[in-house]
Amino acid sequence: MKSSRAQVWLENLDDWSWPGRGGAAAEILPPSWVPTFPPRLERAAAASGAGSIPESWQRQRGIAPWLGTGAILSALLAVCAVLALDGPLRLERLIGLRAAGHASTAALTDAVPTSPSPPPVTLTPLSSDAAGSSIDSAGYTSAALHGPGSFIVYLPPGYTSTTRRYPVLYLLHGNDQLATAFLQIGLQGELDRLIARHAIPPMIAVMIQGGRGANNWRAYEGRNYEAYVLEVQELVDRTLPTVATRDARAIAGDSMGGYGAMNVALSNPYRFGAVESWLGFFNGLEGQLRADRPVLARMGLHAFVYGGASDTIADPSEDAPFAAQLRAAGADAHSAVYPGGHSLETIEAHLASMVAFAGRALSQGAGSRPRPPLSSVAAQPGRAR
């Protein structure tokens, strides 16, 4: 497909609705380490600088140590013991490798973090709107980055008055953007409207703040951004009332964040049940996708990738072929090329549709009834209201 041609998918929410309109959805019990009520710091009346975003966005990172010969031999003995007792999924948690050829369940692999996580953090409210949703921030000392880490959280209407648990959408920003870019293009309002229409389940959205520069959310100049994303995911499950399973997690991003989202999802196939790349690219991900085939064939993956017809940075002709590769590997994958360039304006024009696609995927993990195919939510030009 050439960048001068536009391929557009039909967009509609048909008559599917989130079951919360009637009775309550089936509740999935969380792991024991998820607190019942997350800590939340209420805003001080005057001197707290309400509405300001913390300035702890930049981080210092470290590098992983090498293992000596004796440590390797000891690790091999430990691995053999683990395989004898608990099987390949425990092995995956220990050393971070996929056990792609073995049967598993997403809930089992997601119930235990793959690495030690920091303790739950305290959320600081930044703002709220008339619909009842709020924007909070959190900062912490990142073990993955050996320095400060931070993220912004969208909490849906009714969050403070319910004991329900929520699926989570993780968002990765583009090069030289801040996590607040998603708020600037209207994420809070779109989520409010889609939830109010029962088009998507009530959900939490986590906007992770990365570093400046073209790091592609990977290891870069001593900063391990991919491990940082996974660390935030585990921290969110420890801090907030989430449905802590693979199918209740989605990850998406724009531009560099679109690459990062796809890379993180394919590098960690037991972590996320849905992935979206907005104006992103896929350089070097074919090998990861081939390695994931046994996992995706068994567990599936919801994916949507799209480009801009006049994008001169991320080639839009790559989207349809990569979506085809995803489908061949077992994913429910869709692609589109929309009018527009490599800009936040293009992202904003299709934000509602992409949130709807992720929400439909997350509804499975949140305990919803059977749904029609996700392809019916693919987007048309303009915003869905």
Side-chain angles (χ1 to χ4, degrees):
M1 179 183 302
K2 302 298 183 182
S3 61
S4 60
R5 298 176 60 188
Q7 174 189 349
V8 178
W9 289 81
L10 295 178
E11 171 187 35
N12 67 80
L13 298 175
D14 49 76
D15 48 9
W16 177 89
S17 64
W18 172 243
R21 182 193 299 239
E27 192 76 14
I28 298 178
L29 294 178
S32 59
W33 40 262
V34 176
T36 303
F37 296 101
R40 194 164 185 257
L41 180 64
E42 295 306 324
R43 191 201 309 244
S48 63
S52 62
I53 306 294
E55 297 181 352
S56 59
W57 301 126
Q58 305 303 319
R59 309 167 179 77
Q60 303 299 320
R61 317 294 191 253
I63 26 181
W66 291 93
L67 293 175
T69 303
I72 292 174
L73 291 176
S74 299
L76 287 174
L77 290 175
V79 166
C80 292
V82 168
L83 285 173
L85 292 175
D86 291 321
L89 296 182
R90 291 286 183 179
L91 172 64
E92 182 197 13
R93 297 190 203 109
L94 263 182
I95 60 177
L97 297 177
R98 300 183 189 89
H102 302 275
S104 66
T105 63
L108 184 60
T109 56
D110 286 322
V112 179
T114 59
S115 60
S117 290
V121 297
T122 297
L123 298 181
T124 302
L126 298 178
S127 65
S128 59
D129 65 10
S133 66
S134 65
I135 303 298
D136 287 22
S137 68
Y140 73 103
T141 300
S142 168
L145 304 179
H146 297 275
S150 57
F151 52 91
I152 304 172
V153 181
Y154 165 89
L155 300 174
Y159 173 83
T160 59
S161 60
T162 181
T163 58
R164 75 182 304 161
R165 298 192 175 273
Y166 299 91
V168 184
L169 170 62
Y170 292 88
L171 294 166
L172 308 182
H173 60 74
N175 184 15
D176 286 330
Q177 291 177 355
L178 294 176
T180 51
F182 296 106
L183 299 177
Q184 293 167 6
I185 61 175
L187 178 68
Q188 184 175 14
E190 297 292 10
L191 286 168
D192 287 346
R193 284 184 283 273
L194 290 169
I195 291 172
R197 291 166 48 193
H198 304 279
I200 63 173
M203 67 172 66
I204 292 169
V206 177
M207 295 149 270
I208 305 176
Q209 180 59 54
R212 297 300 183 104
N215 57 70
N216 293 333
W217 293 92
R218 303 186 73 173
Y220 176 76
E221 294 184 347
R223 299 168 173 85
N224 195 339
Y225 291 106
E226 180 180 338
Y228 171 49
V229 173
L230 302 181
E231 181 181 69
V232 170
Q233 175 257 299
E234 293 180 354
L235 181 58
V236 167
D237 279 345
R238 288 178 178 269
T239 301
L240 300 175
T242 66
V243 180
T245 62
R246 174 188 188 266
D247 288 339
R249 298 190 195 107
I251 186 167
D254 70 287
S255 187
M256 180 181 77
Y259 174 89
M262 190 63 67
N263 174 56
V264 169
L266 295 181
S267 298
N268 304 272
Y270 293 103
R271 295 270 188 152
F272 300 94
V275 59
E276 296 182 13
S277 175
W278 310 336
L279 306 181
F281 48 95
F282 316 103
N283 299 8
L285 297 182
E286 294 82 3
Q288 294 178 11
L289 181 54
R290 285 193 297 271
D292 285 346
R293 280 178 171 269
V295 179
L296 301 187
R298 184 174 66 253
M299 304 176 69
L301 177 71
H302 299 295
F304 201 113
V305 300
Y306 76 82
S310 56
D311 192 337
T312 59
I313 296 176
D315 185 357
S317 69
E318 296 179 358
D319 291 276
F322 194 78
Q325 293 179 47
L326 286 165
R327 287 193 296 272
D332 169 27
H334 308 273
S335 71
V337 174
Y338 298 115
H342 199 85
S343 66
L344 281 175
E345 287 76 15
T346 303
I347 302 296
E348 182 179 13
H350 307 288
L351 182 62
S353 301
M354 294 300 102
V355 171
F357 183 89
R360 291 281 295 275
L362 290 173
S363 67
Q364 288 184 339
S368 78
R369 60 177 177 151
R371 302 166 296 110
L374 290 175
S375 57
S376 64
V377 179
Q380 68 182 11
R383 303 174 87 177
R385 294 291 186 182

